[in-house]
């Protein structure tokens, strides 16, 4: 028999045996019926068309799947299909192309097998796996050296989120003492990540230039970087809305929001409580899978990473302190703390601007300890 294109179907010269089964009908008489075997051993063993596919074609298909998977289950379902797919799906060529969504393992599903899978992806050269596993090891498993080396491996390959994560570590001296801070290294890493298009790094670099933090102060250049970060943020919001077919007319509007507790320093003037300085109701950017993992990991532990330690108050961050008083507090209310200026700027426009209440004086709940009192961070 031929197909529409003139090709012949593969012939299977197999004789399917027939057996006779006796059974009784409802009247009690014996009656014979012929029943075919469900599977022929010849077809099952020698004429499987899937086994006839070339190995390189199967690996190419699996590589495309790993790069376009929308969640880990899309790939796991392939692993449990058959031994051949399982062996091919764990090839370094396939794992090296795994997307960040495929590596978005939930904290509640963390296990040794999940750890091994991320390690295999990292060993295959997947920079997303290096960054994700590095963040998990550094902050969650408290394996500082291994986590930092994995993030450095991704940063060497010009992975912007890994560069920014290392910059935050340098700014705070995470994993060490207060004297381990390297502000110049943090600024250099931020500049590299900003050059690669990382919005948070660009915003952090702008604030560093404005404040003269780790670099010579240049208010004009810092403001230019902040405006550029907001423009990229708006472009990213428009792009994501067009891909997901979301109407933008509802959030491309000015929404003045007065400061709730006006003072001489913070008068009651209309402002934009949104993530962009262009007066657009831009939705909050989606957090990186590594940050989501950190948020869920410490959220299941009542948000307490350790005795006397705190989490970054920005909901999309999830980074914890590695020592007491590592993060800087809000200079107005002292009720929130942030790992970076970028997280402070985002949380201010997203949430804290409507909640911040100036106080005359605030002290740490446990008094002075660790490396001393917290640093403060001014609201912008």
């Amino acid at each position: 028999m031929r197909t529409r294109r003139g090709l012949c179907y593969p012939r299977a010269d197999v004789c399917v045996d027939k057996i006779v089964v006796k059974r009784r009908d409802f009247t009690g008489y014996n009656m014979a019926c012929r029943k075919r075997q469900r599977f022929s051993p010849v077809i099952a063993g020698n004429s499987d068309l899937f086994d006839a596919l070339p190995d390189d074609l199967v690996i190419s298909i699996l590589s495309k799947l790993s790069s376009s998977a929308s969640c880990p289950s899309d790939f796991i379902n392939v692993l449990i299909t058959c031994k051949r797919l399982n062996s091919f799906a764990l090839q370094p060529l396939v794992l090296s192309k795994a997307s960040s969504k495929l590596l978005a393992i939930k904290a509640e599903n963390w296990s040794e097998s999940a750890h091994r899978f991320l390690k295999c992806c990292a060993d295959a050269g997947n920079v997303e796996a290096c960054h994700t596993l590095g963040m998990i090891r550094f902050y969650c498993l408290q394996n500082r050296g291994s986590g930092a080396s994995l993030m450095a491996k991704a940063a060497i390959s010009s992975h912007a989120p890994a560069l920014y994560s290392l910059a935050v570590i340098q700014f705070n001296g995470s994993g060490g003492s207060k004297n381990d801070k390297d502000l110049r290294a943090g600024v250099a890493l931020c500049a590299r990540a900003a050059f690669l298009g990382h919005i948070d790094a660009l915003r952090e670099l702008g604030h560093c230039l404005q404040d003269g933090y780790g670099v010579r102060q240049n208010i004009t250049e810092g403001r230019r970087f902040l405006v550029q970060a907001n423009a990229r943020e708006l472009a990213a919001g428009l792009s994501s809305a067009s891909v997901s077919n979301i109407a933008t007319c509802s959030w491309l509007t000015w929404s003045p929001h007065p400061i709730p507790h006006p003072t001489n320093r913070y008068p009651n003037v209309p402002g934009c409580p949104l993530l962009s300085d262009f007066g657009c109701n831009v939705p909050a950017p989606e957090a990186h899978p590594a940050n989501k993992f950190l948020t869920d990991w410490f959220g299941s532990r009542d948000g307490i990473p350790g005795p006397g330690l705190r989490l970054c108050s920005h909901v999309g961050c999830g980074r914890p302190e590695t020592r007491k008083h590592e993060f800087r507090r809000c200079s107005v209310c002292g009720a929130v703390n942030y790992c970076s200026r970028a997280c402070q700027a985002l949380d201010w426009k997203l949430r804290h601007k409507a909640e911040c209440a100036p106080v005359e004086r605030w002290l740490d709940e446990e008094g002075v300890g660790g490396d001393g009192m917290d640093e403060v961070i001014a609201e912008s």
Side-chain angles (χ1 to χ4, degrees):
M1 182 181 296
R2 294 181 177 272
T3 63
R4 293 181 178 179
R5 297 183 179 180
L7 302 176
C8 294
Y9 286 110
R11 294 186 58 187
D13 299 328
V14 179
C15 180
V16 181
D17 298 332
K18 296 181 180 180
I19 57 176
V20 178
V21 180
K22 291 185 177 181
R23 66 181 181 183
R24 294 179 180 274
D25 62 359
F26 64 92
T27 59
Y29 292 100
N30 292 331
M31 57 180 297
C33 68
R34 297 186 178 274
K35 181 179 180 181
R36 290 185 177 181
Q37 290 183 352
R38 187 172 182 181
F39 293 105
S40 171
V42 179
I43 293 177
N46 299 329
S47 300
D48 193 343
L49 299 180
F50 174 71
D51 289 338
L53 292 176
D55 293 349
D56 56 349
L57 177 60
V58 178
I59 292 176
S60 177
I61 295 173
L62 291 175
S63 299
K64 181 65 176 177
L65 174 64
S66 66
S67 63
S68 59
S70 59
C71 60
S73 60
D74 291 346
F75 195 72
I76 295 174
N77 291 333
V78 175
L79 294 178
I80 63 178
T81 301
C82 65
K83 291 183 177 180
R84 189 184 184 208
L85 284 178
N86 186 288
S87 62
F88 286 162
L90 297 179
Q91 291 289 327
L93 179 61
V94 178
L95 297 179
S96 64
K97 299 182 180 298
S99 63
S100 59
K101 293 184 178 180
L102 190 151
L103 303 172
I105 299 174
K106 295 183 178 180
E108 60 184 13
N109 298 330
W110 181 253
S111 61
E112 187 61 31
S113 60
H115 195 170
R116 286 197 305 268
F117 177 73
L118 286 178
K119 181 65 168 58
C120 290
C121 293
D123 292 340
N126 190 301
V127 292
E128 280 288 349
C130 290
H131 175 233
T132 301
L133 184 58
M135 292 277 284
I136 293 173
R137 285 186 177 180
F138 189 90
Y139 290 109
C140 300
L141 306 182
Q142 297 184 4
N143 190 344
R144 313 294 188 195
S146 177
S149 63
L150 282 172
M151 285 187 278
K153 181 180 178 181
I156 291 173
S157 301
S158 298
H159 188 255
L163 286 165
Y164 178 68
S165 297
L166 289 176
V168 173
I169 291 175
Q170 294 293 335
F171 281 134
N172 297 313
S174 301
S177 64
K178 187 176 181 179
N179 296 327
D180 293 325
K181 292 182 179 181
D182 193 341
L183 304 185
R184 295 183 64 183
V187 171
L189 290 167
C190 261
R192 178 59 179 166
F195 175 77
L196 296 173
H198 196 273
I199 298 176
D200 286 342
L202 189 60
R203 183 177 286 111
E204 183 79 14
L205 183 61
H207 283 290
C208 288
L209 285 169
Q210 275 194 329
D211 302 338
Y213 191 74
V215 67
R216 181 178 296 178
Q217 188 176 22
N218 190 333
I219 298 177
T220 303
E221 192 70 9
R223 180 58 186 168
R224 186 177 70 85
F225 281 133
L226 291 177
V227 172
Q228 187 178 356
N230 291 329
R232 291 190 180 185
E233 185 181 53
L234 178 59
L238 290 171
S239 177
S240 61
S242 61
V243 171
S244 55
N245 295 325
I246 299 176
T248 59
C249 57
S250 60
W251 51 270
L252 288 177
T253 55
W254 176 261
S255 177
H257 190 93
I259 296 177
H261 302 281
T263 61
N264 293 332
R265 184 180 178 186
Y266 296 91
N268 191 357
V269 295
C272 179
L274 313 171
L275 299 183
S276 174
D277 285 347
F278 295 103
C280 302
N281 189 12
V282 181
E286 185 178 1
H288 191 276
N291 296 99
K292 289 181 179 179
F293 186 95
L294 296 182
T295 303
D296 296 340
W297 178 275
F298 294 108
S300 63
R301 291 158 176 77
D302 298 328
I304 302 175
L309 302 181
R310 304 162 300 186
L311 293 175
C312 179
S313 297
H314 177 41
V315 294
C317 179
R319 288 183 177 87
E321 290 182 321
T322 60
R323 67 176 186 278
K324 290 184 178 180
H325 310 288
E326 178 181 338
F327 295 162
R328 291 162 295 178
R329 285 198 175 197
C330 173
S331 61
V332 179
C333 66
V336 293
N337 45 269
Y338 303 102
C339 67
S340 63
R341 284 166 167 78
C343 283
Q344 178 265 336
L346 284 173
D347 193 61
W348 172 255
K349 294 182 180 181
L350 179 67
R351 176 185 62 89
H352 189 56
K353 188 174 184 178
E355 302 173 356
C356 186
V359 294
E360 297 297 330
R361 183 180 179 184
W362 52 266
L363 297 173
D364 188 75
E365 293 82 355
E366 299 180 2
V368 179
D371 295 319
M373 290 298 293
D374 299 356
E375 296 183 34
V376 296
I377 182 169
E379 302 290 5
S380 57

